[in-house]
Amino acid sequence: MVTRTDSPTVTVWSDIGCPWATLALHTLRAAARRRSLPLLIDHRAFPLELFNREPTPKFIVDPEIMAIAARLPELGWRMWDGPAHTYPVTTLPALEAIQAAKDPEVGGLRGSDELDEALRRAFYNDSKCISVHAVILDIAEQCEHVDAKALAQALARGSGRAEVYAQWRTAEGPQIQGSPHLFAEGDYAAHNPGATFTWTGSPYEGGLPRLDGYSTAWADELLDAVQGEDTP
């Protein structure tokens, strides 16, 4: 599950439309930046809409965003304030772009992660419709380590789509438990680390998510592991 490189690498299975995955990635990136660690993140798609055979419902995403953002306002997340008709109905084009960006001619793992972070910020902070090809490419233009023209050409060839579907099939297996699921060397594996939450009932019947606690300590423990440091 882990791609070997010269830099510490964490493999993350997730969907951009999953607030819990976006929270985990924010925590991991913030810890790596605080430690000045050049961490690479190898993104793998856990496409919720393919698993569930429907768009990820806004009435599930909205209360999850509210529960997380109320506890962690530093994220800068906002409730969707764009026109209703521009709400992203699919994240597949964005997931495909992240895979296509892994090509060294486009951005490599560094550029792919930079694009992933920018796409999540566009959705959760800026209410951008990341389902749209032009929006994805506009966001890519803002990424220092992504060649947006090369990405556009790659997407025109269909790059990224086969990878997303192959990763979906892998994620159907028992090893991947959901979005997010993180893997690293040393047999590290964690599904939705740090979060203690539960739904009060089925979201289809009015249930709401209750975030009882969130610890960021897991990120430093993971970074200690990938750097080969002992945790006291």
Side-chain angles (χ1 to χ4, degrees), residues 45-54 167-173 176:
F46 192 95
L48 293 168
E49 66 203 71
L50 296 183
F51 280 101
N52 299 327
R53 301 174 63 87
E54 65 174 4
Q167 289 163 13
W168 170 40
R169 294 304 183 192
T170 299
E172 289 182 309
I176 315 301

Side-chain angles (χ1 to χ4, degrees), residues 131-139:
S131 300
V132 176
H133 179 77
V135 173
I136 293 169
L137 292 180
D138 285 345
I139 293 168

Side-chain angles (χ1 to χ4, degrees), residues 59-60 199-208:
F59 66 82
I60 292 179
W199 281 84
T200 60
S202 169
Y204 289 89
E205 299 175 357
L208 295 170

Side-chain angles (χ1 to χ4, degrees), residues 7-31:
S7 298
T9 305
V10 176
T11 299
V12 180
W13 294 77
S14 75
D15 192 314
I16 289 178
C18 173
W20 303 104
T22 305
L23 171 61
L25 284 162
H26 171 85
T27 302
L28 180 60
R29 290 172 178 137

Side-chain angles (χ1 to χ4, degrees), residues 110-176:
R110 187 177 185 184
S112 173
D113 182 49
E114 191 175 342
L115 180 60
D116 175 273
E117 184 175 18
L119 287 166
R120 291 176 192 270
R121 184 170 56 250
F123 176 53
Y124 291 92
N125 298 59
D126 302 327
S127 296
K128 299 292 186 181
C129 185
I130 59 171
S131 300
V132 176
H133 179 77
V135 173
I136 293 169
L137 292 180
D138 285 345
I139 293 168
E141 289 277 5
Q142 303 166 23
C143 296
E144 179 182 359
H145 299 98
V146 177
D147 184 330
K149 290 183 179 179
L151 177 62
Q153 293 169 355
L155 293 176
R157 296 192 299 270
S159 297
R161 174 157 297 185
E163 290 84 350
V164 167
Y165 276 82
Q167 289 163 13
W168 170 40
R169 294 304 183 192
T170 299
E172 289 182 309
Q175 191 173 2
I176 315 301

Side-chain angles (χ1 to χ4, degrees), residues 59 95 156 179 206 219:
F59 66 82
L95 294 173
S179 172

